[in-house]
Amino acid sequence: MNKIYLVFIVITFGLLCVQCKKQTANKLDGTWRYWYLSKQDSGKIQYWEFREPNLLYQTIYIHDSLYQDTANWVLEKDFLEPTYLDIKGLGSKYDGIYRILKLNKKFLILQRYKLSTGSTEGAFNRMEFTRE
């Protein structure tokens, strides 16, 4: 009888983990405006648009110029672990694995802890967004 309860609990937690990952992806979908935290970047406006299936569109407005790029993103969520966002395709300045510190209807805060090469040296990058 105890084995049946154990199997039921394991299946239930597995389904909850998959459901949490899907809910996070749904919250992430949409357009987010990045807020530059340094004065030297004043005059720049940057948007990230997350779309299914795992496409990220980056648009940067710098005075009279427009820069656009696309990338891929993947959510990584293990049981009882924080949610991570793996971004590939935007170049070394933005590629890497980010921990999602905050994600709700209004705010997205990411903190990169690992570069796309797997190195943690010099990887720190904190990015704060608001939903558009």
Side-chain angles (χ1 to χ4, degrees):
M1 193 61 125
N2 288 337
K3 290 181 182 180
I4 293 172
Y5 288 125
L6 182 62
V7 169
F8 177 73
I9 290 171
V10 169
I11 291 172
T12 302
F13 281 125
L15 290 174
L16 286 174
C17 185
V18 169
Q19 185 65 21
C20 288
K21 188 174 179 180
K22 185 64 177 169
Q23 286 177 349
T24 302
N26 288 340
K27 285 182 186 177
L28 196 60
D29 280 349
T31 303
W32 297 88
R33 180 179 178 171
Y34 172 65
W35 291 96
Y36 289 95
L37 302 176
S38 63
K39 186 176 180 179
Q40 67 194 24
D41 291 321
S42 63
K44 292 183 185 178
I45 300 174
Q46 183 173 169
Y47 295 100
W48 284 21
E49 183 179 357
F50 293 90
R51 293 187 191 170
E52 288 287 338
N54 299 5
L55 291 174
L56 169 61
Y57 295 93
Q58 178 190 47
T59 306
I60 303 173
Y61 301 96
I62 305 172
H63 304 292
D64 294 334
S65 301
L66 175 67
Y67 173 78
Q68 293 181 314
D69 204 354
T70 58
N72 294 314
W73 60 273
V74 176
L75 282 175
E76 297 175 1
K77 173 73 174 157
D78 290 328
F79 183 66
L80 297 177
E81 292 291 324
T83 305
Y84 294 98
L85 179 64
D86 187 2
I87 297 175
K88 295 178 182 165
L90 292 180
S92 61
K93 185 174 180 179
Y94 296 108
D95 282 358
I97 299 176
Y98 292 81
R99 181 174 177 186
I100 298 177
L101 299 178
K102 183 172 193 155
L103 175 59
N104 59 31
K105 293 179 182 180
K106 294 182 180 183
F107 302 106
L108 169 63
I109 300 176
L110 303 175
Q111 184 168 301
R112 185 172 63 187
Y113 82 99
K114 192 182 284 188
L115 297 171
S116 59
T117 61
S119 173
T120 57
E121 292 183 25
F124 180 80
N125 184 17
R126 183 182 175 101
M127 303 185 78
E128 298 183 8
F129 299 85
T130 55
R131 186 176 294 278
E132 285 292 307

